[in-house]
């Protein structure tokens, strides 16, 4: 696993760690079941505070990218499992809400597209 933190980047260090691990897991560079370094170990290797790496790991776990197995360590989770389920659930809630608001399908899709563009371009 190779991570690079750019201090002059506008993204905070924990977000850089989160984004890089997430991308490497999704692209297969980090295979399912790959054991990640400990929080302290990765923090030391990157020259970051342990809390910074812990925050990134918590976000990755919430996204379903990694899973913690107690004292056994932290591992790359099965591709998309929890993250995809959560995204589907959120999409269903959005679709119902848009319908209740009286939006037609085109308007609802346009709003979702705009929100996704804004989120991914940030």
């Amino acid at each position: 696993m190779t991570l690079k933190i750019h201090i002059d980047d506008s993204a905070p260090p924990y977000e850089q760690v989160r984004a890089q691990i997430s991308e490497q897991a999704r692209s297969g560079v980090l295979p399912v079941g790959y054991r990640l370094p400990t929080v302290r170990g990765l923090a030391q290797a990157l020259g970051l505070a342990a809390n910074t790496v812990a925050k990134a790991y918590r976000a990755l776990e919430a996204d379903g990218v990694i899973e913690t197995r107690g004292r056994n360590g932290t591992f790359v989770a099965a591709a998309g499992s929890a993250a995809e389920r959560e995204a589907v659930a959120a999409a269903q809630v959005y679709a119902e809400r848009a319908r209740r608001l009286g939006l037609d399908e085109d308007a609802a899709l346009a709003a979702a597209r705009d929100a996704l563009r804004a989120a991914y371009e940030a």
Side-chain angles (χ1 to χ4, degrees):
M1 178 172 78
T2 303
L3 302 178
K4 294 183 180 165
I5 303 304
H6 303 284
I7 302 304
D8 57 343
D9 194 320
S10 63
Y14 86 89
E15 176 58 25
Q16 293 179 50
V17 171
R18 187 210 59 77
Q20 290 177 48
I21 291 175
S22 181
E23 175 56 33
Q24 289 181 27
R26 295 198 194 290
S27 70
V29 171
L30 297 178
V32 172
Y34 177 87
R35 186 176 184 177
L36 296 171
T38 64
V39 167
R40 287 183 185 168
L42 185 56
Q44 184 176 15
L46 296 174
L48 298 172
N51 284 342
T52 300
V53 174
K55 185 174 183 179
Y57 275 23
R58 282 192 303 273
L60 287 162
E61 191 161 21
D63 292 345
V65 175
I66 64 173
E67 59 188 10
T68 301
R69 301 178 191 162
R71 292 183 151 193
N72 293 323
T74 302
F75 299 83
V76 174
S81 56
E84 286 178 8
R85 283 194 305 272
E86 189 171 335
V88 167
Q92 289 171 336
V93 169
Y94 171 74
E96 285 300 315
R97 174 83 179 192
R99 186 182 56 76
R100 281 194 311 273
L101 290 170
L103 297 178
D104 64 19
E105 186 176 338
D106 289 337
L109 283 171
R113 252 187 250 103
D114 290 345
L116 285 167
R117 279 190 198 109
Y120 282 91
E121 290 174 4

